Amino acid sequence: KKNLHLGVTAVNTQYSLDFTRRLQPYNLFEFSSDRNFVMGFDYDYVFKNVNFFGEISRSQNGGIGFINTALIELDSRFKLALVHRKYDKDYQSVYTRAFGDNARNVNEEGFYIGVEFLPVKYVSVNAYFDNFKSNWLRFRADAPFSMYDYFAQVNYRPSSRWDAYFRFRTRQRPRNNTEITDRTSVVQGAVTTNYRFNINYSPTKQLKLANRYEVVNYKLGNNPTEIGYLLYQDATYTFKKKPLS
């Protein structure tokens, strides 16, 4: 049927020499050879107002990585995205760039919920909630750990000349605590929280003004909270008859 698409992908990578790395406990399962073969199966299916799609693949060493997504349009003003992914600690794919927190799709399992909402005229709301975990060690984290990333932004755009938004984001990542000698408590959560207000205004077609105020809180374990502030104002002027701004 036209609303169902299936696909198969195979990638063979061959190097002239072995791909070697300095082995550390956190990268014990990463690729270190001269050849890798990855084969995957993907699907895309549309049912009424829901679009399901995803992929599962297996690397040459037996590691598995998969992702499943559902995009749901509950209303013309409300959209929902659901994503579940799981990448084994020994999944090896040089060219994979799927959804995830890590730069590479390995050692991660999580569930993501994203929403887009248009409550009233000129206003839109974007938010997501992402909970995930590592089942093996990570760089600068010598134990498995559960993490989160929460985000919400309210946008206001009454005209093409100016717009503003307020953003909140908080995320937790694991970090080794070098001050603790007890190995059972070597990893702790590093929580970063951002509050941002941004406004853009164009009094004329040539002049654009941008203003931003942001506060960042950082807390590592039970240590005191560190606070940073940012305030900037930017003005850009584009000349009518000259390619200069």
Side-chain angles (χ1 to χ4, degrees):
K1 297 182 180 181
K2 291 184 179 181
N3 57 350
L4 174 63
H5 301 274
L6 303 175
V8 177
T9 305
V11 178
N12 181 69
T13 306
Q14 183 73 48
Y15 299 97
S16 59
L17 297 173
D18 282 352
F19 189 87
T20 59
R21 67 179 75 245
R22 182 184 177 187
L23 288 180
Q24 300 289 334
Y26 75 89
N27 66 8
L28 187 62
F29 299 96
E30 295 190 13
F31 176 71
S32 58
S33 181
D34 65 341
R35 183 178 180 274
N36 190 30
F37 180 77
V38 181
M39 188 168 186
F41 167 79
D42 63 270
Y43 69 93
D44 190 330
Y45 178 63
V46 178
F47 178 74
K48 295 184 178 180
N49 62 331
V50 184
N51 182 196
F52 301 95
F53 59 93
E55 182 177 3
I56 182 171
S57 64
R58 179 184 185 276
S59 54
Q60 184 170 301
N61 67 332
I64 299 294
F66 69 82
I67 182 170
N68 294 293
T69 303
L71 301 180
I72 308 171
E73 188 169 348
L74 299 174
D75 183 83
S76 60
R77 299 182 301 171
F78 192 91
K79 298 178 182 179
L80 177 68
L82 307 174
V83 183
H84 176 249
R85 79 271 191 188
K86 185 177 186 299
Y87 312 118
D88 289 348
K89 63 180 181 295
D90 58 345
Y91 177 61
Q92 300 174 350
S93 181
V94 179
Y95 302 107
T96 300
R97 294 294 183 273
F99 179 88
D101 179 70
N102 281 328
R104 295 176 299 104
N105 302 130
V106 63
N107 187 30
E108 182 177 326
E109 179 179 3
F111 188 76
Y112 167 98
I113 301 176
V115 297
E116 182 181 73
F117 180 43
L118 307 176
V120 294
K121 190 177 181 180
Y122 306 134
V123 177
S124 63
V125 179
N126 303 95
Y128 66 75
F129 311 89
D130 191 16
N131 286 278
F132 52 98
K133 64 180 180 178
S134 59
N135 295 315
W136 184 248
L137 286 58
R138 289 165 51 117
F139 179 66
R140 298 176 65 186
D142 293 341
F145 201 82
S146 295
M147 293 154 278
Y148 62 78
D149 189 345
Y150 302 152
F151 170 95
Q153 178 169 308
V154 179
N155 310 285
Y156 180 64
R157 187 180 179 87
S159 71
S160 60
R161 296 182 61 182
W162 78 279
D163 64 86
Y165 69 80
F166 176 77
R167 175 183 298 178
F168 167 80
R169 184 184 183 189
T170 183
R171 53 198 183 280
Q172 177 180 253
R173 299 294 183 273
R175 290 292 183 269
N176 289 332
N177 190 340
T178 57
E179 299 178 357
I180 297 179
T181 57
D182 181 6
R183 301 301 295 178
T184 61
S185 56
V186 68
V187 179
Q188 56 188 345
V191 180
T192 303
T193 304
N194 299 66
Y195 305 88
R196 176 189 296 181
F197 177 72
N198 190 92
I199 183 169
N200 301 309
Y201 176 59
S202 300
T204 67
K205 292 183 178 180
Q206 288 75 42
L207 180 61
K208 296 181 179 180
L209 304 176
N211 303 271
R212 177 177 299 176
Y213 178 66
E214 185 164 4
V215 180
V216 181
N217 295 341
Y218 177 81
K219 185 174 178 59
L220 178 61
N222 295 321
N223 295 330
T225 301
E226 302 175 26
I227 303 177
Y229 301 92
L230 169 69
L231 176 63
Y232 87 78
Q233 190 172 50
D234 185 56
T236 304
Y237 187 84
T238 304
F239 295 90
K240 290 183 178 181
K241 298 182 179 181
K242 295 182 180 181
L244 182 66
S245 62

